[in-house]
Amino acid sequence: MANLKLAGVSKIYPSGKMALFNVSFSSSEGELIAITGGASCGKSTLLRIIAGLEEATAGDVYIGDKQVNDVEPKERDVAMIFQSNTLYPSLTVAENMAFGLKMRNVPAAVVEQRVKVAADILGLSEVLYRKPKALTAMQRQLTTYGRAIVREPKLYLLDEPLSGLDPKLRAQVRNIIINLQVRMKGTFLYATKNIAEAMSMATRIVVLKEGFVQQVDTPQNLYDYPANAYVGFFVGSPTMNLIQNATVVREEDGVYAVFDDKKLALSEKTISRWQNIEEYIGTDKKVIIGIRPEDITPDGEGCQLQGTVCGTDVTEELKLAEIDISKNNSLTVCMDGAVKGETHGVLIDTQRLYVFDSETQLTLLSRDDGYVPDGKNTEADFVPLTKAETEERQKQFAPPEKQAKKKR
């Protein structure tokens, strides 16, 4: 297997549309890295560039110690699994899995052995001689994985491989992929917009937004130490509450975040991590206060705020309530039995607050002893562009027609 390195990879289409900007990160051998982000974040484009199916406008791609920018896709020794991978309907499972090897004139004995091993790993041994129409949805999906495994590539690229599967099947196939990666000791890049999937599977996660890298770190570090408000909001389910346009004041009994007609005391832990807090106390500089729903106890003893239930929601795992706490802000709370219109208090764990600058969107809190460094993660100290810097780059590469519309 091989490690992967991307150095300043950008993709600008002839129209002027920017798909990726200055993407840099590396993997170690045998690592599973998730690439995630919202719609049109660039994750599929990134995998296609690594596979050689698209050409980068700038930057370098290394597989192992070899730069592969000008290497043909078939020579990169990469297996790519798409969400819409199809099987040849006239071929059996074994024939579908062996097809690529036979096209490369691999000896028949080697093909047979690799197919047998892959089928055993994926639990397909009993259906090797069935055709796709006689398979279950999971078996068809696993056959596409088998087709990749038999090649024994240096790198596996999976682009939304669970898309379209029902939740139960997704969970089963997800576990199979995790076990497959461990058994094959392969380097996997796994693109998904499902953050829960990424958090449960990956050793590290690359978070993209509209083609820009936001943060590269372990799942736990992304959750506890988001680099900006986007990562804080995107990583976690339910999503982080963001109290907008708060100011900071010092009173006799402590330091408070003030928003609308409410105020919330900041803990000593938050204050100690906020290294330039004096630039914000008593000034017009605005901040965003992040509060995760799991750090809120409804009607807990010593509630700091009160509000009215304005909506409820039930997921497979959680019962949620939306509570208006001020004129412009509400909090999503994990709460059973909430009724619209009821008044409830909320107890917020102020040891777990997140603080971001309203203008730059970057975190204002330094890391503490809870941060667990990964010695292999050279990108952990990466600082994303500010909101203004991002908008400037987007304006720079916007297609001409969009720039003309903005001028009008």
Side-chain angles (χ1 to χ4, degrees):
M1 297 303 163
N3 59 310
L4 169 74
K5 180 182 177 181
L6 304 179
V9 171
S10 296
K11 177 66 179 180
I12 314 296
Y13 288 105
S15 66
K17 180 182 178 182
M18 180 180 63
L20 294 168
F21 180 79
N22 197 30
V23 176
S24 299
F25 68 88
S26 58
S27 73
S28 55
E29 291 188 20
E31 187 174 15
L32 195 160
I33 294 181
I35 314 293
T36 189
S40 302
C41 70
K43 56 185 180 296
S44 294
T45 302
L46 184 60
L47 292 195
R48 291 176 63 83
I49 287 173
I50 295 168
L53 303 178
E54 289 196 33
E55 185 178 349
T57 307
D60 297 310
V61 179
Y62 296 86
I63 298 176
D65 296 323
K66 182 179 180 181
Q67 185 195 62
V68 296
N69 292 44
D70 299 322
V71 176
E72 290 294 317
K74 63 181 180 180
E75 303 298 330
R76 295 194 183 194
D77 202 10
V78 168
M80 189 161 184
I81 301 171
F82 299 92
Q83 62 185 38
S84 57
N85 268 36
T86 55
L87 302 174
Y88 297 107
S90 62
L91 302 182
T92 65
V93 169
E95 290 168 337
N96 265 286
M97 291 169 64
F99 186 82
L101 294 180
K102 289 181 178 179
M103 293 295 290
R104 291 172 172 80
N105 296 315
V106 175
V110 175
V111 172
E112 183 179 355
Q113 175 63 19
R114 289 190 185 180
V115 168
K116 182 178 182 300
V117 170
D120 180 59
I121 290 173
L122 296 169
L124 295 173
S125 298
E126 294 183 2
V127 296
L128 272 177
Y129 302 103
R130 294 182 189 176
K131 293 184 178 180
K133 65 180 180 181
L135 302 176
T136 65
M138 176 185 277
Q139 288 169 339
R140 286 194 292 272
Q141 190 85 6
L142 295 181
T143 301
T144 66
Y145 300 163
R147 193 162 54 190
I149 291 171
V150 296
R151 288 178 48 197
E152 298 183 358
K154 293 178 180 178
L155 190 64
Y156 295 84
L157 307 176
L158 294 86
D159 187 13
E160 296 276 7
L162 306 185
S163 179
L165 301 180
D166 64 67
K168 183 178 180 181
L169 197 53
R170 285 179 77 102
Q172 291 175 326
V173 178
R174 182 175 66 236
N175 290 334
I176 288 172
I177 292 174
I178 294 171
N179 292 331
L180 174 63
Q181 192 266 338
V182 172
R183 290 189 64 171
M184 298 299 293
K185 296 182 173 60
T187 302
F188 281 50
L189 258 68
Y190 186 99
T192 176
K193 58 179 173 287
N194 187 318
I195 186 59
E197 224 168 69
M199 294 284 280
S200 66
M201 296 177 69
T203 51
R204 285 189 297 141
I205 299 173
V206 179
V207 181
L208 294 175
K209 180 186 179 188
E210 298 177 337
F212 294 84
V213 175
Q214 305 298 304
Q215 193 169 354
V216 183
D217 217 323
T218 64
Q220 191 64 52
N221 286 339
L222 287 177
Y223 180 89
D224 289 330
Y225 301 92
N228 59 22
Y230 178 79
V231 176
F233 182 81
F234 186 77
V235 174
S237 181
T239 54
M240 178 186 286
N241 296 293
L242 297 176
I243 296 177
Q244 304 283 351
N245 296 316
T247 56
V248 186
V249 300
R250 178 182 280 116
E251 299 183 359
E252 289 185 3
D253 59 343
V255 179
Y256 292 84
V258 178
F259 52 96
D260 297 335
D261 58 343
K262 306 289 184 179
K263 65 179 184 179
L264 180 65
L266 301 181
S267 69
E268 286 298 324
K269 180 178 180 180
T270 299
I271 294 170
S272 67
R273 291 180 58 201
W274 191 342
Q275 295 182 338
N276 61 338
I277 192 170
E278 294 299 331
E279 296 179 19
Y280 291 82
I281 294 177
T283 71
D284 292 332
K285 297 186 74 169
K286 300 288 197 303
V287 299
I288 301 168
I289 303 297
I291 309 169
R292 294 202 182 276
E294 48 269 44
D295 295 326
I296 302 173
T297 304
D299 298 321
E301 185 177 347
C303 289
Q304 303 102 324
L305 301 169
Q306 279 196 330
T308 303
V309 177
C310 59
T312 60
D313 189 21
V314 178
T315 69
E316 289 186 1
E317 300 176 354
L318 294 171
K319 295 180 179 179
L320 305 172
E322 190 78 11
I323 299 178
D324 282 332
I325 57 169
S326 69
K327 179 182 178 181
N328 298 299
N329 290 283
S330 63
L331 296 177
T332 298
V333 179
C334 300
M335 186 175 184
D336 190 4
V339 177
K340 191 173 181 179
E342 286 184 344
T343 298
H344 291 276
V346 291
L347 174 63
I348 298 168
D349 182 356
T350 56
Q351 302 290 319
R352 296 278 304 164
L353 293 181
Y354 302 79
V355 187
F356 309 96
D357 181 271
S358 287
E359 185 175 342
T360 67
Q361 304 279 298
L362 300 181
T363 184
L364 292 170
L365 303 184
S366 61
R367 297 168 181 168
D368 58 14
D369 292 341
Y371 183 85
V372 181
D374 179 353
K376 300 176 183 178
N377 185 9
T378 58
E379 299 85 15
D381 295 326
F382 170 80
V383 178
L385 297 179
T386 66
K387 182 181 179 182
E389 289 169 339
T390 300
E391 290 173 349
E392 183 60 33
R393 299 300 187 282
Q394 290 173 325
K395 186 189 303 182
Q396 178 183 351
F397 295 107
E401 63 271 16
K402 287 191 176 181
Q403 292 182 350
K405 287 179 182 178
K406 288 182 179 179
K407 288 181 181 179
R408 290 201 295 268

